[in-house]
Amino acid sequence: MSQEDIEQKIASFTSIEQALDYFEIGYASKFIDQHRVELVKRFNGYLILEKPQDWFAARRALKNAYCKVQRNQLDKHTRSACRGCTTCQRR
């Protein structure tokens, strides 16, 4: 899949859940409902910073966005582990 194909596919999504399903990323519906706008903004920001060359690069951008939003919810004064993120690589 070329860069243009992946960009067109991402543009065709009507919800963040479609993107998460397409990129085979597990998610909690409750978390998505609460943080939808922030997740979409961060994902789009990552795509603007670095155009995805393929499916894997786009998936990595979405995983990073999901994980970043999740980690921002943790208490910054304790050493809380990232929980609930089914695809987190920072466990």
Side-chain angles (χ1 to χ4, degrees):
M1 195 173 247
S2 71
Q3 181 178 357
E4 289 178 10
D5 292 341
I6 196 70
E7 288 176 4
Q8 289 175 351
K9 184 66 176 177
I10 291 170
S12 74
F13 296 139
T14 59
S15 70
I16 193 67
E17 289 89 351
Q18 287 179 330
L20 289 162
D21 290 338
Y22 178 74
F23 291 115
E24 301 171 0
I25 297 174
Y27 60 92
S29 297
K30 185 177 178 182
F31 180 80
I32 298 297
D33 291 342
Q34 292 173 345
H35 304 286
R36 179 180 311 276
V37 173
E38 184 180 359
L39 180 58
V40 170
K41 284 182 180 180
R42 189 162 296 277
F43 178 47
N44 287 332
Y46 286 158
L47 294 177
I48 289 170
L49 289 174
E50 185 175 334
K51 299 288 184 198
Q53 299 298 318
D54 56 12
W55 184 88
F56 296 101
R59 182 178 193 269
R60 192 169 32 259
L62 182 54
K63 278 181 69 172
N64 288 342
Y66 187 90
C67 195
K68 178 73 171 177
V69 171
Q70 174 114 32
R71 286 191 329 253
N72 284 342
Q73 303 308 310
L74 299 175
D75 184 10
K76 296 181 182 20
H77 301 292
T78 62
R79 295 191 62 192
S80 299
C82 186
R83 282 188 226 93
C85 182
T86 56
T87 59
C88 187
Q89 297 174 342
R90 293 174 176 87
R91 292 183 191 194

